[in-house]
Amino acid sequence: MELTHWILIAVLVVVVFYTIGIYNKLVTLKNRFENAFAQIDVQLKRRYDLIPNLVEVAKSYLKHERETLEAVVEARNQAAAALKGASANPGDAKAMGNLAGAEGALGSAMGRLNVVMEAYPDLKANQNMAQLSEELTSTENKVAFSRQAFNDSVMEYNTYRQSFPPVIFAGLVGHGEDAGLLQFEDREAIQAAPKVEF
C-alpha cells in the first residue's frame, strides 16, 4: 500500500473515533438531564401526595370553602397527569410546557387555599396542618433546586449539541432536537427583585 492509503485510513480512523466520542458525550449529557428530571419527578410526586392530606385536614375547618378545595384537588390531578407525560420524555419541549402550565395552575390554586386558610386561625394552629404545610414548603424548595439542576443539565446538553463539530453529527446519531427547559409561568415574578417599602 502506498503512503497516501495509510494516511487516508488513519484519517478515517480518527474521524470514526472522534464521532464515537461526540456520540458518547451526547448520550452522557442526555442521561444527565434525564436523571435531573427524575429528581424533579420524585419531588413533585411527593408534593402531589401531600396535597390530598392537606385538603383532608382543611375540610373539617373549611366547610364553606368547598370550591377552593375542589379546585386544589383538580389542579393537583392535572399536574400529576402532566408530570406523567413529561416523565415519558423529559427532553420534549411540549411536555415541559404542559407540565409548567399545570404547575402554574396548581400554584394558583394552592395560593387561593393559603389565602382562605389565613381566615381560619384554628386551622393554622392545627398541628397536622402546620406539619403538612412545613413539608410542602420543604418540598417546594427541593423542587426549585431540582428544577435548577435540570435546566442546567439541559443547557449543557443543548450547548454541546449546538456547538461545532457536534452539530454536524448530532442529528445523524439521534440527537437532532434541543431538549426543553422547565420554566414555570411565574418565571418573571421569581426573577424580579422584591420590593421593600417603609
Side-chain angles (χ1 to χ4, degrees), residues 149-166:
F150 171 76
N151 285 341
D152 289 346
S153 296
V154 166
M155 186 185 70
E156 184 179 5
Y157 170 80
N158 289 344
T159 301
Y160 182 74
R161 196 196 69 71
Q162 295 168 3
S163 64
F164 183 81

Side-chain angles (χ1 to χ4, degrees), residues 28-180:
T28 299
L29 294 173
K30 183 177 181 188
N31 288 339
R32 191 175 297 157
F33 81 70
E34 286 177 346
N35 179 57
F37 186 80
Q39 302 309 310
I40 293 172
D41 185 56
V42 166
Q43 297 306 324
L44 288 178
K45 284 179 181 172
R46 175 176 163 70
R47 179 177 171 219
Y48 301 156
D49 290 344
L50 288 171
I51 289 172
N53 295 331
L54 184 80
V55 169
E56 278 303 312
V57 171
K59 270 185 183 178
S60 61
Y61 290 91
L62 305 177
K63 292 177 182 160
H64 302 294
E65 305 292 345
R66 183 180 173 130
E67 288 177 24
T68 302
L69 296 173
E70 288 174 355
V72 169
V73 171
E74 178 63 27
R76 178 249 181 219
N77 292 341
Q78 289 175 356
L83 177 62
K84 192 173 189 177
S87 295
N89 190 1
D92 182 45
K94 184 177 179 184
M96 292 298 111
N98 289 342
L99 178 59
E103 279 295 312
L106 178 58
S108 177
M110 291 297 293
R112 286 190 303 275
L113 178 62
N114 286 333
V115 167
V116 168
M117 286 174 27
E118 290 294 323
Y120 294 86
D122 292 342
L123 177 59
K124 285 178 58 178
N126 180 293
Q127 185 176 1
N128 289 337
M129 183 58 79
Q131 182 181 1
L132 286 168
S133 295
E134 178 61 35
E135 286 184 43
L136 271 173
T137 300
S138 172
T139 302
E140 293 292 334
N141 291 335
K142 291 174 185 174
V143 168
F145 289 125
S146 298
R147 184 177 73 174
Q148 179 181 359
F150 171 76
N151 285 341
D152 289 346
S153 296
V154 166
M155 186 185 70
E156 184 179 5
Y157 170 80
N158 289 344
T159 301
Y160 182 74
R161 196 196 69 71
Q162 295 168 3
S163 64
F164 183 81
V167 70
I168 295 170
F169 303 108
L172 299 173
V173 294
H175 296 271
E177 297 289 323
D178 280 348

